[in-house]
Amino acid sequence: MMGPAWWAVLVLLAMADAVAGRFVVEKNSVQVTSPESLKGKYECAIGNFGLPQYGGTLQGWVVYPKDNRQACKEFDVSFKGHKSGARPNFVLIDRGECFFTTKAWNAQLAGAAAILVVDSKDEPLITMDNPEDTGTKHLENITIPSVLITKKLGEDLKKSAENGDMVSVLLDWRESLPHPDERVEYEFWTNSNDECGPKCDMQMDFVKSFRGTAQVLEQKGYTQFTPHYITWYCPEAFTVSKQCKSQCINHGRYCAPDPEQDFSKGYDGKDVVVQNLHQVCVFKVANDTGKPWLWWDYVHDFAIRCPMKEKKYTHECASHVIKSLGLDMDKINKCVGDPEADEENPILKAEQDAQIGHGKRGDVTILPTLVVNNRQYRGKLDKGAVLKAICSGFEETTEPAICLSEDVQTNECLENHGGCWVDKANNVTACKDTFRGRVCECPIVKGVKFVGDGYTNCEASGVGRCEINNGGCWKETKNGKTISACSHEESEGCKCPQGFKGDGVKSCEGTLSLFRNLLLHDLNTKFGLSPS
Ligand SMILES: *[C@@H]1O[C@H](CO)[C@@H](O)[C@H](O)[C@H]1NC(C)=O
Ligand SMILES: *[C@@H]1O[C@H](CO)[C@@H](O)[C@H](O)[C@H]1NC(C)=O
Ligand SMILES: *[C@@H]1O[C@H](CO)[C@@H](O)[C@H](O)[C@H]1NC(C)=O
């Protein structure tokens, strides 16, 4: 086991360039509508957790609690509006002492509709982020928006509230993202590593829940989506070190940290880079054939079919998924190139260059990161919140209907059964279209339940399975009479009838006389006759 020091070896291109490197604080505005003396519009910074209301506004009263002003403990008062339909309350909270996410959680528990965190110093606005490891247990459950306001505005609002003024504000996210035209361009910076704890789980949950929506938007031409992957590099002096060799491909040019942070076991960083590269190539090849949305299926299916836990995070498993989606494996292999070669990979080189910010977009240094119309999205990667952000990126009146309703269907099963298991002879498939995109789930046909992984196999099970394709067993028809190896006892599977020899699946062999005897026996039984 190596100490953490070796970590420092890998370098993020965006970080190395200290001069150009910059992080952009994404903002919304807060408009004070009363008291008169504070009326006006002020900037605030969107917290990177909870659900911001991109494209929308939220009006409420500002409450400054008497105790627990940093909201590090649970409140013993309620901030719920007294009547239903009453304007909600926003809680003014002092920065410091505990995580921003703890403050938001405590305020939410007490019924607050949003929090305004007051900075403790005079400084330009900062982005309130979630802590890396601890505190994540509430993270996924924070559903109120959070904003940071300047110390000056905070002091003014507090004074007013303590004077007994009714302080009313409008939180406004309508201008948080540019909305120049009728198409939204967005990017998702992600990672194929599925073993990084809550962050990886949340990332995958997002892909699962947003996939169907993303595909419909893309198919109808409303959006142009591009996935991206962060890669690190190994400084030249270290390229032959053990660390860089296990974390990097192409002689130290493209690296990823070891998934378990222990390169003596499990998968190495270089496995992650290779799988990331497969994902970029899947996008590229799918995009070149006019079906960029297949990336969502690939990433979704790969996570389910090729998890690290089951030791299936491999090229072979990736190939199965690629083939099931009907993508050209040769083109993908060509795009992936030779990871051992001492040369640049044009695809990964482009990914590294894209990490550096341009225009109004800052460098990408947090994973995952969503970029909408060249601005970074802040907040939880929640299907509804992200859809709102994308919807707010359309020029007004050009939004697709999905921005007004959530009624969508993907119809992906129409083509190639969505890459799911299919029994063409019997016209049975595991593909099902749902609002969340297609799923591969073994079906129930005429009361017979199929079981299996839904991708490569489904088998009829239970009573009645012999009715479907003879339960996958051998059968033969002679003189209008059928003899079958499908046993009605499911545990027996396929079993040749008595006197016949064979595996029961492909063949059962018996002499003609046996066959005849069996028929005779059947006939006798049928007519109530007994041979003995
Ligand atoms: C978060 O919400 C989920 C689903 O409602 C629940 O199962 C879980 O216990 C919650 N976690 C916390 C820390 O409240
Ligand atoms: C995807 O295809 C579109 C349309 O052909 C093209 O404009 C875009 O640049 C492509 N994206 C990538 C990353 O290749
Ligand atoms: C196969 O089943 C689908 C859905 O049940 C049906 O729409 C289609 O017509 C069938 N195709 C054939 C060849 O029977």
Side-chain angles (χ1 to χ4, degrees), residues 51-95:
L51 306 181
Q53 304 285 311
Y54 280 96
T57 60
L58 203 56
Q59 176 97 46
W61 299 114
V62 174
V63 179
Y64 188 43
K66 287 201 166 55
D67 313 294
N68 194 18
R69 288 180 158 178
Q70 289 177 318
C72 295
K73 300 182 300 206
E74 281 192 22
F75 284 98
D76 48 20
V77 291
S78 168
F79 302 118
K80 279 211 175 75
H82 289 298
K83 302 186 283 248
S84 65
R87 245 188 226 186
N89 289 320
F90 302 156
V91 183
L92 209 53
I93 293 172
D94 292 332
R95 183 181 175 188

Side-chain angles (χ1 to χ4, degrees), residues 105 109 135-142:
W105 177 247
L109 277 182
T136 41
K137 78 180 157 90
H138 300 312
L139 193 54
E140 59 173 324
N141 292 10
I142 299 175

